[in-house]
Amino acid sequence: MSTSKIVLVTGAGSGLGRAITLALAAAGHQVVATGRTAETLDETVAAASGPGSVIAIPSDVTDSEAVTALFEQVTDRWGRLDVLVNNAGIFGPSQPIDEVSVQDWRRVIDTNLTGAFLCAQAAFRIMKNQQPRGGRIINNGSISAHTPRPNTVGYAASKHAITGLTKALALEGRTHDIAVGQIDIGNAATELTAGIAAGALQADGTVRPEPTIAADDVARLVVQTVDLPLTTSVPFLTVMATGMPYIGRG
């Protein structure tokens, strides 16, 4: 059993966020599950089991004041934060660039990039000053942080930007014992990727079904990273369905 840590998971009401939250609790960690919808967070809490525990604190990662209040609640209750899992994200519309509205573009960027920035900023402020100092941040990237799908300009741009955010945070974190890394996930079976198994648009214009992997398999890798000492960093980790079109996509 690893030493219990205080872990905050964003986007924890469904999909990968829920799977990661449940796996961390089963491994003995105290998890703060956050997201915009209280009802789905309560479902995550109800599904938790193991030596750890989960509490829900609804929040909106795109709202700077809400993020500040969220992290203050964590430190008020536990006095520290050991790990942030920046998981919250949306896919946005699947449209050619000339059909994407500015509102949809901003919604994807605000959630996927600005939300990750705001949470990482709040986590840094805590981790660099707590005793013992330091902590770990895991950003949820994507295969699309490397190679985009057709007609996903907002999502691809946001996930490429997450890679830059991860590198910048990892550099800044060195002197504060803050380890920062990114997990790039391909075709985990969640609500977000429900259509992929039925048929996904390919670079050659065809629509073909793609294999998926269990969200629980991804969650186990996150737990393994959380359990590492801060002297060990995992800058980038890619996990994907073996047969999905990524290496040589298209």
Side-chain angles (χ1 to χ4, degrees), residues 17 48 133 139 191:
R133 74 172 188 176
N139 292 325
E191 297 91 334

Side-chain angles (χ1 to χ4, degrees), residues 130-191:
Q130 63 191 6
Q131 294 298 326
R133 74 172 188 176
R136 188 180 299 275
I137 297 174
I138 302 171
N139 292 325
N140 185 343
S142 170
I143 294 298
S144 290
H146 306 273
T147 304
R149 290 185 177 277
N151 297 345
T152 59
V153 62
Y155 186 77
S158 72
K159 292 302 185 178
H160 275 65
I162 286 292
T163 299
L165 179 67
T166 297
K167 290 179 177 180
L169 295 178
L171 180 59
E172 288 193 37
R174 287 179 188 173
T175 57
H176 305 293
D177 298 324
I178 302 173
V180 183
Q182 179 172 318
I183 183 166
D184 294 319
I185 304 158
N187 287 9
T190 67
E191 297 91 334

Side-chain angles (χ1 to χ4, degrees), residues 48 71 96 103 133 145 182 206 209 249:
F71 282 77
Q103 291 79 9
R133 74 172 188 176
Q182 179 172 318
T206 62
R249 179 181 280 185

Side-chain angles (χ1 to χ4, degrees), residues 186-222:
N187 287 9
T190 67
E191 297 91 334
L192 189 67
T193 59
I196 288 175
L201 179 63
Q202 306 295 310
D204 62 2
T206 62
V207 175
R208 296 196 298 272
E210 295 184 12
T212 60
I213 56 175
D216 290 346
D217 292 337
V218 177
R220 287 206 301 272
L221 292 173
V222 173

Side-chain angles (χ1 to χ4, degrees), residues 3-184:
T3 302
S4 179
K5 296 181 172 71
I6 309 301
V7 186
L8 190 153
V9 180
T10 69
S14 62
L16 280 169
R18 177 175 290 175
I20 291 167
T21 297
L22 299 181
L24 287 165
H29 299 292
Q30 170 62 63
V31 188
V32 180
T34 192
R36 284 182 288 193
T37 308
E39 290 77 11
T40 58
L41 291 176
D42 289 341
E43 292 172 2
T44 298
V45 172
S49 63
S53 62
V54 179
I55 70 161
I57 303 179
S59 186
D60 181 354
V61 299
T62 69
D63 183 330
S64 61
E65 292 184 359
V67 169
T68 297
L70 168 65
F71 282 77
E72 285 178 350
Q73 288 183 70
V74 173
T75 54
D76 286 347
R77 181 158 181 166
W78 290 283
R80 65 180 294 105
L81 175 66
D82 297 300
V83 181
L84 165 66
V85 181
N86 255 331
N87 169 74
I90 59 174
F91 197 73
S94 180
Q95 296 174 313
I97 185 172
D98 54 308
E99 298 178 13
V100 176
S101 70
V102 173
Q103 291 79 9
D104 282 335
W105 165 268
R106 286 177 175 159
R107 187 166 60 91
V108 172
I109 297 300
D110 283 351
T111 303
N112 297 2
L113 179 58
T114 304
F117 159 76
L118 290 172
C119 289
Q121 184 182 59
F124 255 71
R125 288 170 176 158
I126 296 168
M127 292 173 176
K128 68 191 293 187
N129 294 308
Q130 63 191 6
Q131 294 298 326
R133 74 172 188 176
R136 188 180 299 275
I137 297 174
I138 302 171
N139 292 325
N140 185 343
S142 170
I143 294 298
S144 290
H146 306 273
T147 304
R149 290 185 177 277
N151 297 345
T152 59
V153 62
Y155 186 77
S158 72
K159 292 302 185 178
H160 275 65
I162 286 292
T163 299
L165 179 67
T166 297
K167 290 179 177 180
L169 295 178
L171 180 59
E172 288 193 37
R174 287 179 188 173
T175 57
H176 305 293
D177 298 324
I178 302 173
V180 183
Q182 179 172 318
I183 183 166
D184 294 319

